[in-house]
Each structure stands twice: as C-alpha cells, then as structure tokens.
Amino acid sequence: MMHIRPTPQWNTSPALLGFGVMRMPTKADGTIDRTLSDAMLKAAYEGGVTYFDTAYTYHNGESEPYLGSFLRQYPRSSYQVATKMPTWLVSSLDDAKRIFGEQRQRLGLEHFDFYLLHSIGKTAFTKMVEIGVLDYLIEEQQQGTIGNLGFSFHQIYEEFEYILRYRNWDFCQIQYNFLDTEEQAGRAGYNLATSLGIPVIVMEPIKGGSLINLNDDLASQFKALAPDASAASYALRWVADHPNVKVILSGMSTLEHVQENVATLKNPVPLSPKELHTVETVGETMRSRIGNSCTGCSYCMPCPFGVDIPGNFALWNKARMFDSYQIIQRAWESPHAADNRPSACTECGACVPLCPQMIDIPADLKTVDCELTALKG
Ligand code: SF4
Ligand code: SF4
C-alpha cells in the first residue's frame, strides 16, 4: 500500500503519489498512445496510486475521456479524479456550466473528488468571482458533484496570497520543488497555506522532468551519496519531507518513471542531513547561474513590439541553470514564437520603469539574444 497522509478536511484519502496525466505519451499524430499509457496507468494503480489528475484541455480534449474509460474497470471508491475548469475559455456563467457538464460526460463520473480553477492568477480569479463561476462551483460542491474545491497556480506569490486568503479552500495546487523555492507561490506560499490549515498538492516536483537530466557536475553530487539513486528520487523525497503536502503529482511519461516514483514514494524515507545538504547545495548552485531575477510577473507586458519579455527571460534562465541549450531548444527555436524573440526589441524603454525587479530589460534581452544565438550555433 502506498503512503497516505490523512487529511481531516477531505472526505477521501489519496495516496501521496498522484498521477498527472498531462505528459502521457503520444503517437506521431498527437493522440494519446493508449497501449503505453494503459500500461503506465495500470502499473501506477497496482502500485498504490489512487489520485489521477487531468484537465479539460489536456491532449486537445482527449485526456478526460481517455482517463474516464481507463478507470471504469476499477471500483469507483478505489481512486480519486481531479479535473479543472479552464478559466481562459470561460466568458460567462453559461460557459462554465456547459464545460462542467461536458467534463462529467467525458469522464463518465457523477462527481469529481477534486475540482480546480485551472492555473489562475488574480485577474482570472476576479473574473470567475464576478461572473458567478466560483459561487456556481460552491453550489456544485453542496450538491455533491465536487468533493474538494481548490485551484492550481503558476503566478507570483502576491497573487497566490490574495486568492488563498479569499476563502477557506479545501486545497491549493502549486509548483514546488527544490529549485523553485523562490518562484511562483514557492516556499512562502507553502508556509502560508500550512499556517491557514489549507492542504497543499504539489505539481512539477521534478520540474517537468528536467531535474532528471542534470549535467555531470550536479548529477555526480547525488551519485556520491548513493550510486544507484536518481536525482529524481531526491527531488521527490525533498517534497515529501513537507508534511502539509498531501499529494505529489508527478507528470510521468514512461513506465520507468512510474516504477521509480512508486518505489520512492511508497514509503518515503526522509532525507538525512547529508542528503538534504546536497539537495540544497545543488539547488543553490543552479539558482546562482541565472541571468537575472525576472519573476515572470508580466508587469512589463505587453511590449508594444511584441517581445515576450518574461518568456525570453524564463528560457534564458533555464538554459543557464541547467547549463544546457538542449533543455530549451524546442521552445527557443519554435517558429510560433519567432516574432516574440529579443530581436524584435527596439529599445524603446517603455517596459523599464514597470519592472519591480529593476531589470534593465532591453540590455538583458540583448544578452539573451547573444547567448542563446551563440549556443544555437
Ligand atoms: S524596450 Fe524592448 S522589450 Fe521593452 S517595451 Fe520597448 S521594445 Fe518592448
Ligand atoms: S522583466 Fe520585470 S516586470 Fe517583466 S516579467 Fe520579469 S520581473 Fe516582471
């Protein structure tokens, strides 16, 4: 049986390791590779995973019906399903009601164990309040179609605090890993939720899988602790050492990921002081490599010339942190983003006074362009 953290606020008891199905393997045509995905979900379920997280938009809408049909072979009481309201597709209360109804049909479920406002910031949340979507979801919960109501979050801490304090949520879902302690909700957000008694569900514990592929100088520090233990296992154990984290959602994309994550979190072993020191040293080393302190707040946006300022800085900082061009190559070279790149900057200066981090944005964009163009070769 998988490790469970009893949570008095919840009417159900998920296992600590949850399955985020966003990264399910796909075929060449972009549809879900059902043979491989079935094997992964089966291995997870049989390994003790009970919490399965999907969303209306994942895999172009295929994720919910696929997951629903897969889970139907098991007793309903043996698993929990989480799905999300895509707030960016919601302009009216009728939109929200239609989407919610579609989700019940797609998943074939009478009720969702966990339901989230998907990836909200303050603006999207305020809109959901104003057009009545939040009240509607609370009504659905009172009628039993939603077990636990929460939100997922990727914006800056200040917006997280606003949303978290707005009401007594059943849970919040944040990106959290040993590298992102000062990003998004971060450590401060985890501590705030804990102080308010709101359980935390963590996504991106391995930072979208990127913590698996560390360069030799960093990977060797983990290897020195135990030759057979992976960097991913330390990342998961670091998150598991936070007692108010009740579910760790791993976006597994291979059978090996499932097997390794199940083995790590079935009975998670707390990090020893030496292991914790190594994890924190690796995190600090990586953070010290970043090019600037852009938080992604977007206060500088929109740029009148179309530059995606936070997007470019995020790619730059990621390439530097991981000391790897490959890790951002696809995004950097994407033809869809060509017009948003630093070369479009005219150095008009309009963005500079808007940045709370006092970043010299045009100067840093030039550096981004130079460094990443040189790496592209
Ligand atoms: S300085 Fe560059 S990035 Fe900033 S607003 Fe002007 S064109 Fe856009
Ligand atoms: S450059 Fe400054 S204002 Fe723009 S997203 Fe980054 S931190 Fe925010």
Side-chain angles (χ1 to χ4, degrees), residues 47-75:
V49 171
T50 64
Y51 187 106
F52 296 86
D53 169 274
T54 181
Y56 185 76
T57 50
Y58 290 172
H59 294 98
N60 296 317
E62 190 189 357
S63 179
E64 288 179 328
Y66 165 65
L67 183 65
S69 68
F70 177 84
L71 288 172
R72 220 157 290 144
Q73 65 188 299
Y74 301 119

Side-chain angles (χ1 to χ4, degrees), residues 271-278:
L271 292 171
S272 69
K274 191 175 170 191
E275 289 172 328
L276 178 61
H277 177 72
T278 302

Side-chain angles (χ1 to χ4, degrees), residues 110-298:
E110 290 297 313
H111 78 279
F112 306 124
D113 308 276
F114 293 80
Y115 196 82
L116 303 88
L117 288 167
H118 194 171
S119 194
I120 45 167
K122 189 174 175 183
T123 306
F125 177 64
T126 304
K127 183 177 162 192
M128 292 305 108
V129 172
E130 284 174 0
I131 65 177
V133 174
L134 180 61
D135 282 344
Y136 163 65
L137 294 177
I138 292 169
E139 276 167 32
E140 289 288 353
Q141 184 175 28
Q142 285 162 352
Q143 286 166 20
T145 46
I146 292 174
N148 299 286
L149 182 59
F151 65 95
S152 64
F153 184 86
H154 285 288
Q155 307 297 320
I156 57 173
Y157 172 80
E158 289 73 17
E159 298 191 21
F160 176 75
E161 179 167 357
Y162 175 84
I163 298 167
L164 195 72
R165 288 187 186 278
Y166 191 88
R167 68 183 297 271
N168 190 19
W169 298 97
D170 298 311
F171 69 103
C172 60
Q173 184 167 308
I174 61 172
Q175 173 167 330
Y176 197 43
N177 55 64
F178 72 78
L179 202 54
D180 289 332
T181 51
E182 315 309 315
E183 299 285 324
Q184 301 184 18
R187 196 192 301 272
Y190 170 80
N191 289 339
L192 178 68
T194 304
S195 70
L196 294 173
I198 297 174
V200 172
I201 293 178
V202 162
M203 54 187 157
E204 308 288 10
I206 314 174
K207 202 169 171 64
S210 49
L211 293 174
I212 295 173
N213 300 311
L214 296 178
N215 274 2
D216 286 349
D217 64 324
L218 300 171
S220 61
Q221 297 187 44
F222 288 127
K223 290 286 169 214
L225 292 170
D228 295 332
S230 69
S233 69
Y234 291 107
L236 288 173
R237 288 169 61 204
W238 182 88
V239 177
D241 277 349
H242 294 72
N244 191 35
V245 172
K246 307 300 182 182
V247 176
I248 301 176
L249 280 177
S250 186
M252 299 172 267
S253 52
T254 68
L255 193 52
E256 291 70 33
H257 291 165
V258 176
Q259 289 160 342
E260 186 188 2
N261 291 354
V262 166
T264 302
L265 292 181
K266 197 157 195 133
N267 221 338
V269 180
L271 292 171
S272 69
K274 191 175 170 191
E275 289 172 328
L276 178 61
H277 177 72
T278 302
V279 170
E280 289 183 341
T281 304
V282 169
E284 277 162 25
T285 306
M286 295 175 79
R287 283 191 295 273
S288 73
R289 294 173 176 173
I290 61 172
N292 69 17
S293 54
C294 175
T295 61
C297 68
S298 291

Side-chain angles (χ1 to χ4, degrees), residues 156 292-301 309-311 313 351-352 354-359 361:
I156 57 173
N292 69 17
S293 54
C294 175
T295 61
C297 68
S298 291
Y299 293 157
C300 55
M301 295 289 281
I309 301 168
F313 288 155
C351 56
V352 176
L354 304 175
C355 178
Q357 304 296 320
M358 292 187 285
I359 294 169
I361 294 172

